[in-house]
Amino acid sequence: MLNANFFYKVNTSQGYELLGYTSNGWMVENFYNASGALLEQDVFAGNSEAKFITNAQGGYTESLYVNGVLTESGIFNAGNVLLSLTQYAANGHAVIETDTFNYNSRNQLTSEIRANANGVFETETFTYSNNQLSAVIHSNAGGVVTEIDYYSNGHLTQVIHPVTPTKSPATAPATNPSTPVSTGWSSTSGFGEISVLKALDLATGQTLADAAPAQPVEWGISSAKFQDAWAAGFTGKGVVIADIDTGVDLNNAALTHNLSQYDWNFVGDNANVQDDNGHGSFTASELAAAANSSNNVVGGAYGAQMMILKALDASGSGSGGTIAIAITYAVNHGANVINMSLGGASPDATLQAALQYAASQGVVVAIAAGNSGANSPAYPAAYAQTVSDVIAVGATQQSGSSLSLAGFSNHAGSATPYSFVDAPGVNLQGYNNNGQVVTDSGTSMATPLVAAEAAVVEQAIATAHPEYSAAQIAALAVSDITQSATALSLIGVASTPAHA
């Protein structure tokens, strides 16, 4: 409400009113009850009038009139924060549009919902990083993201319009008829356990040798048949994998032998991607660690280039907005594959839009399904059901001579097939952020094996078909990975703790 210099008081049976003027000449009329509480303030400026009336939210309702016709009204809370704004047609009765505003505990705007007579037609969601606006996501009446605006230091830096592409390349490589192709689907384990060798058979149209291991490696690499891929010359060379995690141990030569120039720390907003947790160093180990004669740790795609994107802090936590920015950054800086060994309980429109953008640019994204033993994957892995080139990953364990789904692993949860596969995820070995070899379990550990497989398969497709676009290569890689998976016949119980 406006301050004014009052010069005239009128007493009434219910209270009193004061008349005065503001410094710019507007006339102000305040109405008070007998106890002196302000009930209403009317402000007159030429042919315009504003009425401020105390409301049930502890604030006030502001109504604006022009020549006596209502044009706009807003509802404010006790802190003078706008909660809703309604615009009216020329007759002062018909509503043109009502906007509803929501805020976080810092009074930062989190959403604006715009509606007309036909209902909600647009929702804008606002996300923040380091207490600064990082993105605004625009969704239509159906909840489909139509635009993402990215900000840095208060300035708009990029506008993208995500789409969900179809996976139908114009030409596909020949498939060897003798190659086993998955025709099964389970709502528990999806398409089943990955096989890099079978996926390469599909990608190359040849039957590659199932050779004896050339070197001792940890069981997840061996079980997924990465050694056969290496023997055939496919190590992920020429492919860029972005690992969105807690960073990497920059003092470990096995993890820094082929780093990208575009590594970035989105938590500290700098180029220092040193791991302060250990989780990122472990996933990077599985993705692309160089062979070391003193241990069994070697990455499935050790020939690929690693783009380390630190979007999770020392506790392993990160906001959806920050992770979405990292996804977009990875796509814009040349990543072919993204590994996301992370997850949460709730849908996130920002992440969904970023994944749609990645898919539209032909980038494969492998995401951990989650470790709560739930009947469906956690978010954002659940978006594999609607966004092409996203693969949700469950975890398996050794059960005697067989593989079974680990008891902690979330399930596929759908009778309709989508890109959900499983990979070894119990008692795997990798480096921590101090250069030590440690053992860990979880869908976080299974996911890098699928991302590494995607890099190896993309190398094979690009080698056989250099004329293919990034979108064609990505679509075929996802198809080869899912269709070459082997159905699991057993469901096991994990015997070790799992990490997200």
Side-chain angles (χ1 to χ4, degrees):
M1 297 186 186
L2 296 179
N3 293 321
N5 295 314
F6 295 99
F7 65 92
Y8 189 71
K9 181 178 180 180
V10 179
N11 292 310
T12 68
S13 59
Q14 290 80 29
Y16 63 94
E17 61 181 273
L18 293 179
L19 297 176
Y21 288 90
T22 65
S23 58
N24 56 2
W26 294 346
M27 190 176 82
V28 178
E29 187 175 13
N30 284 0
F31 297 88
Y32 301 84
N33 63 17
S35 300
L38 179 62
L39 303 177
E40 178 179 334
Q41 180 181 80
D42 296 349
V43 180
F44 303 89
N47 63 349
S48 299
E49 176 187 357
K51 287 183 180 292
F52 301 87
I53 302 175
T54 302
N55 60 37
Q57 287 75 29
Y60 58 90
T61 298
E62 175 187 358
S63 300
L64 301 179
Y65 297 81
V66 176
N67 293 324
V69 178
L70 179 64
T71 60
E72 186 175 279
S73 64
I75 297 176
F76 296 79
N77 65 16
N80 294 337
V81 175
L82 181 64
L83 302 178
S84 69
L85 181 67
T86 301
Q87 301 175 46
Y88 297 88
N91 61 12
H93 299 290
V95 174
I96 298 177
E97 179 180 329
T98 296
D99 298 346
T100 303
F101 306 92
N102 296 292
Y103 303 85
N104 60 21
S105 59
R106 296 188 177 118
N107 274 337
Q108 294 170 320
L109 181 65
T110 57
S111 69
E112 178 179 350
I113 304 169
R114 305 176 63 192
N116 56 24
N118 297 317
V120 174
F121 65 88
E122 182 180 37
T123 299
E124 296 178 4
T125 304
F126 300 78
T127 62
Y128 300 84
S129 178
N130 294 326
N131 214 28
Q132 289 189 329
L133 179 66
S134 58
V136 180
I137 303 95
H138 304 258
S139 304
N140 63 20
V144 176
V145 176
T146 58
E147 179 179 314
I148 313 175
D149 304 330
Y150 286 103
Y151 291 81
S152 177
N153 296 320
H155 300 288
L156 180 65
T157 58
Q158 184 183 18
V159 177
I160 62 175
H161 297 88
V163 297
T164 302
T166 58
K167 298 191 290 184
S168 55
T171 309
T175 300
N176 190 317
S178 64
T179 301
V181 175
S182 173
T183 56
W185 169 263
S186 166
S187 61
T188 300
S189 55
F191 283 111
E193 183 76 2
I194 63 169
S195 170
V196 179
L197 180 60
K198 292 178 182 178
L200 285 174
D201 287 349
L202 293 177
T204 62
Q206 304 174 22
T207 301
L208 302 180
D210 188 355
Q215 64 187 73
V217 294
E218 62 100 18
W219 82 269
I221 292 290
S222 176
S223 176
K225 298 289 186 179
F226 276 103
Q227 290 163 289
D228 296 316
W230 304 338
F234 300 116
T235 64
K237 185 176 182 180
V239 177
V240 178
I241 305 175
D243 192 21
I244 300 177
D245 213 299
T246 62
V248 73
D249 181 9
L250 296 174
N251 299 310
N252 188 340
L255 301 181
T256 59
H257 67 103
N258 195 14
L259 290 184
S260 166
Q261 62 178 313
Y262 298 115
D263 299 342
W264 193 253
N265 181 338
F266 293 92
V267 177
D269 196 25
N270 55 54
N272 181 10
V273 294
Q274 174 61 41
D275 189 2
D276 50 9
N277 175 280
H279 192 273
S281 295
F282 197 104
T283 58
S285 304
E286 297 180 274
L287 289 166
N292 188 324
S293 58
S294 66
N295 58 55
N296 295 334
V297 176
V298 57
Y302 65 82
Q305 184 177 74
M306 288 294 300
M307 183 189 298
I308 305 298
L309 303 179
K310 180 174 172 56
L312 306 181
D313 61 21
S315 69
S317 300
S319 70
T322 300
I323 296 167
I325 291 172
I327 294 171
T328 305
Y329 177 96
V331 174
N332 291 343
H333 289 82
N336 306 105
V337 178
I338 298 176
N339 181 75
M340 292 173 56
S341 294
L342 51 85
S346 303
D348 190 305
T350 314
L351 280 174
Q352 181 184 21
L355 292 172
Q356 289 173 330
Y357 178 59
S360 72
Q361 301 302 305
V363 178
V364 176
V365 186
I367 310 178
N371 302 328
S372 62
N375 290 328
S376 58
Y379 286 94
Y383 290 124
Q385 298 178 69
T386 56
V387 181
S388 65
D389 299 342
V390 173
I391 306 175
V393 183
T396 56
Q397 63 180 14
Q398 291 175 311
S399 300
S401 60
S402 301
L403 291 172
S404 62
L405 194 71
F408 60 76
S409 178
N410 286 6
H411 299 179
S414 171
T416 303
Y418 66 95
S419 297
F420 187 109
V421 297
D422 313 297
V426 174
N427 291 333
L428 299 186
Q429 290 183 311
Y431 294 108
N432 64 12
N433 55 331
N434 294 315
Q436 300 168 315
V437 176
V438 295
T439 300
D440 211 342
S441 303
T443 55
S444 277
M445 287 68 236
T447 303
L449 297 179
V450 176
E453 178 185 25
V456 167
V457 172
E458 285 208 3
Q459 179 193 1
I461 295 171
T463 300
H465 296 274
E467 75 278 8
Y468 279 10
S469 68
Q472 289 176 307
I473 293 173
L476 284 171
V478 173
S479 177
D480 291 344
I481 290 169
T482 56
Q483 295 306 303
S484 61
T486 302
L488 296 177
S489 57
L490 298 174
I491 304 299
V493 177
S495 57
T496 58
H499 294 82

